[in-house]
Structures are given as C-alpha cells and as structure tokens.
Amino acid sequence: MFEPVIGLEVHVQLDTKTKAFCGCATQFGAAANINTCPVCLGLPGSLPVLNKKIFEYAIKVALALNCTINENTKFDRKNYFYPDLPKNYQISQYDLPISENGFIAIKENKIRIKRVHIEEDAGKLIHEKEYSLVDFNRTGTPLLEIVTEPDITSALDAQEYLKELKSILEYLGVSTCDMEKGFLRCDANISLRPKGDTALGVKTEVKNMNSFKAVRQALEYETERQVAVLKDNGKIIQETRLWDEKKQCTISMRSKEEAQDYRYFPDPDLPLFTISKESIESAKKVLPQLPIEKRKRFISEFNLSEYDAGIIVSSLRMSNYFEECLNFLQEPKKIANWLIGSVSEELNKRCLDIAQIKLKPEDLVGLIKLVESNTINNLTAKQVLTFMLDTDKTAQEIIKEKNLAQISDEESLKRIAQEVIDSNQKSVDDFKSGKENALMFLVGQVMRATKGKANPKIVRTILENLIKET
Ligand code: ADP
Ligand code: MG
Ligand code: ZN
C-alpha cells in the first residue's frame, strides 16, 4: 500500500495598482507592452524601488497563515535566461523571505506553510504558428509564493487546501485570485511512499493546471501513474510534468538533471528591509475575520451545519450576501438552503459570482417569503428566480405578470381533482387497495393540470377526501 505525499507551491498576484518595483500599472488586458518602463524592461542604469503596498499585503498574509515574520528581509536575484524575462533575472527572495513556518488548519489537519515570499512575475509569451510574441505588461507585477511542507496526503485534501487558501486571500483583500486571468497558479509536488513510512520518496512536480479541479485530477492521475511504476519495481524519475487537460494525463516536460542553477545572490539595488514590530501590530488590528473564525461563528450564531457554513463562508461575497439577507428575514437555514441550492445553481449556469448579479438580498428574501406564505410552491419559486435574474423584476411582479400564483382555493382544486379521479379509476382502486404510490400519481396529475401551480399538500388532502367519499 502506497500513500501520496503532496506539497503545493502557489503563486498569487497581489492586487496593487502599480508593479512591484516601478510605477507602471498592473492593469489586466491592456494593449501589449504599453505598461512598461526602463525598470520593468530591465534597461541598463534603471533602479528598482519597492512598492510599499506589497509589504503591507505580505504581512497580512503571513499573519493569516500563522507565519513568523522575519524582522530582516531581503531580495535576491534568481538568474536565468528566457524571452519573457528582459532582465535575465527575476527579483525574488531566497534565504530571508518575508515570512516562514506557518500553517493552515483544515478540519483536524494542519498543513504547514514552509515559506511565503515576494517575487516579481515574468512577461507573457504568445505562441503563434510561425513566430512568438512577447508582452511585457506583466513583467514586474508583484506575486507572493506560498509553499507548503509535504503535509498533504490526498488529491482531495490538496483541493481543500487550495480552496481555503483562496478564501483567506480573498478575505484579506490582497488578491482577486482570478484563476482565469492567471492571478492564482499552483504547482503540485507529489511522491509516494509505503504507508506508515516517514522517509520521502522521489517527487515529480506537476504544472499547468488552471483550476482546483484540474489540480485534483492531475494529482489523482500522478498517484495512479506512480503506483503503477512502483508496483512494477520501477523507479520514479524526479522531473517536471505538465497536465494535459484534454487528454487528462501528465506528460514529462524536463527531468531534474537539466535543472538550472539559478545562482541566487542578493540584489545589490535593493537594501535589506526591516519590518518593525509596530507595522506588524497595526496589521494585526485591521485583520478581518478569517474564514475559519467565520465558519465557527455561522455555526454557533446561526445554527448552520458545518457543511452549509463551509460552502457559504468559502466565498467572502456569498457570506456577506447571506448576512445581508438576515437583515430582512431571520431564517438562516432557509436562506442558506436557497443560496447553496437554486441561487448557486443559477450562478454556475451563468458563470457569474454573486457579486455580479443585480438580485438584491431583500428581493431574494421577498421570494423566499412568498414560498413561506404558500403564494407559490418551491418549483414555481425556482422559475421565478430565473426570471428575476434575467429581468431584474421582483418576485411579486413576475408572479403577477406570468400568473404563477399557487392555486390554493379549494373549489377550483376540488373540481380539477374530481376530473383526475374520474379519468384515472385504476389508480383510485390501487390506492384504495393500499398502494400509496397511486396517490402520488394522482397528485402529479393535478399538478400537471394546474401547470405546477397547485399547492401539493392541499391537493393531497383533497384527493384523499374525495376518494374516501366515493
Ligand atoms: P524544489 O527545490 O524542487 O522546488 P522544495 O524543497 O523547494 O523543492 O519543495 C517544493 C515543494 O515540494 C514544497 O511544497 C515541498 O513541500 C514539496 N516537496 C518536497 N519534497 C517532496 C517530496 N519528496 N514529495 C512530495 N512533495 C515534496
Ligand atoms: Mg519548486
Ligand atoms: Zn515599469
């Protein structure tokens, strides 16, 4: 029996207005190469000046990840040649990163954080058929690299860790974590070892996953691939592999033998920085409530299940929306159900975040109240929600316009129920002889005749009574 051992390296783009060491804008999607200057193009004689915001953000992250913050921190040059790196070195941090030795708690597990350091991003290469283009707009944008110890023992736990890390970063407001734009990227290291062993096996590093799901799938694939090699008495080669999303497999990219020596040395253009106790203390004071605390609060204050709290809290915007809804209706469980169920479903369909829709918390509550008062049933409410998202009208308006109000008036329901009974004698007999399902069928027929607008509970009672009378 083998068990996977996983360590993750996450790069996250810090949400600053300007780049790490110059005044160029970090604006995404700008025309190629317009946000550049002598510093981020690496022209001779230019000098980097650190963007203060980066330390502020890095300190917040370090605190939230329970790390120690190094009093003295410095920048080093990581030397390599690549067309998207005009200086031929990347400014990074080597032996004095801004912070080290933290952890993220996920349920009973503590995933240790080895280090959090600051570095600059490279440019972007765009490969065309016969040539490649380079866009230097991204060179010099600030990143944090967050590296775990090899503490993760399954692909699923890796995904959980990433979700929690992303939530934390969003709560701190240091990054938008937009994965489609490449603002959060993950390299996954994985090795196997016989269950119970403590020594680490030879690892591979998997790159090129652009979603958390892809990270999980790549790690599941790597686990199986490595198990097969080891069971066959083969050896794992230390190498970098790429995840192929289409083929759902990893492919060897380069082995460690070809690995470069980066010749790190302190960047002579940047001084040793000292982080004062005061700046750490003042950062502590403005630290927001983090997901782990908010989950606890939602469970104790609103009586949510761990599962519900987990889903709602994982998104800062969803959790804020939830609390806003509570101002209009003190039914946490019901609101949670709506948010996790139909609302999330609609958001997923539309590829939208809750912050991107116009549906106001009070209007969602308005819809929920109409279900509570039996004006519409759950099924209709789902339809109404779709219309609300499409049109920005309130539930009331839509129900009136589309004549969707539930038919609760007994007389009309009785008439329809009698018609259904008359034309389904067999089911009536079946029900009389004890087949409960037959009644469900009859209820279904009435629902159909009313286009789903009847109140199923009332229909059921009416049918039972009518059948008893015959
Ligand atoms: P490298 O020098 O190859 O980048 P590091 O020691 O910096 O390796 O570790 C990079 C990441 O790989 C870390 O997240 C670490 O926890 C993880 N890691 C290191 N060794 C192993 C191993 N044998 N199996 C799985 N993960 C590992
Ligand atoms: Mg590495
Ligand atoms: Zn610049």
Side-chain angles (χ1 to χ4, degrees):
M1 272 291 274
F2 292 101
E3 71 169 355
V5 176
I6 297 164
L8 300 178
E9 296 165 277
V10 166
H11 285 94
V12 61
Q13 183 175 327
L14 294 175
D15 192 17
T16 55
K17 286 206 177 66
T18 54
K19 295 187 182 182
F21 302 106
C22 63
C24 292
T26 53
Q27 164 203 22
F28 183 84
N33 295 308
I34 65 162
N35 294 323
T36 53
C37 74
V39 175
C40 55
L41 287 175
L43 301 189
S46 63
L47 287 173
V49 178
L50 179 72
N51 180 344
K52 224 166 103 186
K53 201 80 185 166
I54 295 171
F55 271 0
E56 187 190 306
Y57 283 175
I59 291 170
K60 277 191 189 176
V61 173
L63 291 171
L65 301 185
N66 309 291
C67 291
T68 13
I69 294 168
N70 289 324
E71 196 185 340
N72 293 313
T73 185
K74 76 172 163 69
F75 291 93
D76 302 276
R77 292 185 178 181
K78 180 178 177 178
N79 299 280
Y80 66 99
F81 173 81
Y82 209 67
D84 64 9
L85 190 76
K87 297 199 297 293
N88 290 340
Y89 64 83
Q90 176 191 27
I91 303 179
S92 182
Q93 298 199 287
Y94 189 57
D95 53 343
L96 278 179
I98 184 140
S99 71
E100 302 171 88
N101 301 327
F103 66 87
I104 291 184
I106 294 168
K107 300 214 171 94
E108 295 82 38
N109 293 335
K110 262 188 190 172
I111 312 293
R112 287 172 299 156
I113 306 291
K114 191 171 172 181
R115 55 190 276 140
V116 177
H117 72 248
I118 300 164
E119 60 185 32
E120 57 175 351
D121 209 345
K124 253 187 211 164
L125 289 176
I126 300 133
H127 301 289
E128 301 290 341
K129 259 206 190 102
E130 285 166 5
Y131 55 87
S132 293
L133 298 166
V134 63
D135 179 0
F136 290 124
N137 281 345
R138 203 178 63 182
T139 47
T141 51
L143 303 175
L144 275 191
E145 178 169 342
I146 301 162
V147 184
T148 75
E149 296 287 354
D151 284 353
I152 303 166
T153 52
S154 75
L156 194 65
D157 284 358
Q159 192 178 13
E160 289 300 309
Y161 164 83
L162 290 171
K163 277 194 204 158
E164 184 73 5
L165 176 61
K166 179 170 181 255
S167 298
I168 294 172
L169 295 168
E170 280 176 349
Y171 272 61
L172 294 172
V174 299
S175 173
T176 58
C177 295
D178 196 331
M179 294 188 74
E180 265 152 38
K181 293 183 179 158
F183 292 173
L184 195 151
R185 314 191 280 268
C186 172
D187 301 334
N189 299 268
I190 173 168
S191 62
L192 292 190
R193 67 178 167 203
K195 224 180 170 121
D197 266 22
T198 48
L200 293 172
V202 176
K203 71 170 166 110
T204 60
E205 181 172 354
V206 193
K207 289 180 185 281
N208 202 33
M209 295 82 71
N210 53 17
S211 70
F212 292 164
K213 190 173 153 211
V215 173
R216 197 196 71 222
Q217 290 172 328
L219 286 170
E220 279 165 357
Y221 178 88
E222 258 315 275
T223 307
E224 277 179 35
R225 188 189 69 84
Q226 293 189 16
V227 166
V229 171
L230 292 172
K231 276 201 174 145
D232 206 26
N233 286 323
K235 276 205 169 78
I236 302 297
I237 308 162
Q238 187 169 346
E239 61 183 353
T240 304
R241 300 178 69 88
L242 288 185
W243 173 242
D244 186 326
E245 179 77 36
K246 275 206 199 101
K247 295 189 184 136
Q248 292 280 303
C249 67
T250 63
I251 310 153
S252 177
M253 182 171 94
R254 58 165 183 257
S255 80
K256 221 35 193 205
E257 273 132 55
E258 301 155 33
Q260 295 153 327
D261 177 355
Y262 293 114
R263 301 276 166 147
Y264 280 97
F265 66 86
D267 192 313
D269 292 339
L270 289 158
L272 186 77
F273 286 91
T274 307
I275 297 180
S276 68
K277 292 231 159 50
E278 295 80 59
S279 60
I280 299 175
E281 284 313 310
S282 55
K284 267 186 196 161
K285 280 192 200 120
V286 294
L287 219 54
Q289 181 167 53
L290 293 170
I292 189 168
E293 298 301 329
K294 196 180 259 187
R295 264 195 304 270
K296 281 185 200 152
R297 178 164 70 82
F298 276 20
I299 292 168
S300 64
E301 199 174 320
F302 305 131
N303 222 355
L304 291 191
S305 67
E306 201 164 310
Y307 176 82
D308 289 356
I311 293 182
I312 290 179
V313 168
S314 70
S315 152
L316 173 63
R317 291 176 293 272
M318 181 75 88
S319 66
N320 287 341
Y321 197 95
F322 170 79
E323 290 204 273
E324 281 175 46
C325 286
L326 285 176
N327 293 332
F328 303 98
L329 178 71
Q330 265 83 53
E331 293 271 10
K333 177 66 192 163
K334 285 202 176 106
I335 293 166
N337 282 347
W338 270 90
L339 288 178
I340 293 170
S342 306
V343 174
S344 294
E345 219 172 275
E346 290 294 327
L347 291 175
N348 290 342
K349 259 192 231 158
R350 293 153 202 256
C351 291
L352 289 176
D353 185 272
I354 192 137
Q356 294 168 300
I357 54 171
K358 287 185 205 143
L359 180 69
K360 290 194 225 95
E362 55 263 49
D363 292 334
L364 177 66
V365 166
L367 175 66
I368 300 174
K369 282 182 176 163
L370 290 171
V371 180
E372 292 306 297
S373 64
N374 279 325
T375 309
I376 49 173
N377 61 32
N378 262 312
L379 216 68
T380 311
K382 279 192 182 183
Q383 288 178 316
V384 173
L385 177 67
T386 313
F387 289 128
M388 287 173 88
L389 289 168
D390 288 339
T391 62
D392 302 329
K393 289 182 182 154
T394 66
Q396 295 275 18
E397 286 167 339
I398 290 163
I399 290 165
K400 204 165 156 205
E401 197 174 288
K402 302 208 177 272
N403 189 22
L404 289 172
Q406 192 157 253
I407 307 172
S408 299
D409 103 78
E410 299 232 355
E411 278 317 303
S412 14
L413 285 180
K414 246 187 192 165
R415 194 171 36 75
I416 299 166
Q418 191 58 55
E419 280 166 22
V420 166
I421 286 173
D422 292 345
S423 49
N424 291 284
Q425 200 52 52
K426 170 134 195 334
S427 300
V428 176
D429 295 339
D430 283 350
F431 176 62
K432 279 184 175 166
S433 63
K435 286 189 189 152
E436 276 292 319
N437 280 346
L439 184 65
M440 290 316 295
F441 172 77
L442 293 170
V443 173
Q445 292 305 303
V446 177
M447 294 304 290
R448 213 167 122 182
T450 58
K451 298 206 177 77
K453 291 189 291 182
N455 179 331
K457 268 189 214 143
I458 299 178
V459 171
R460 196 189 162 102
T461 320
I462 291 176
L463 280 166
E464 278 175 331
N465 291 337
L466 285 175
I467 293 172
K468 253 186 238 154
E469 286 164 18
T470 56

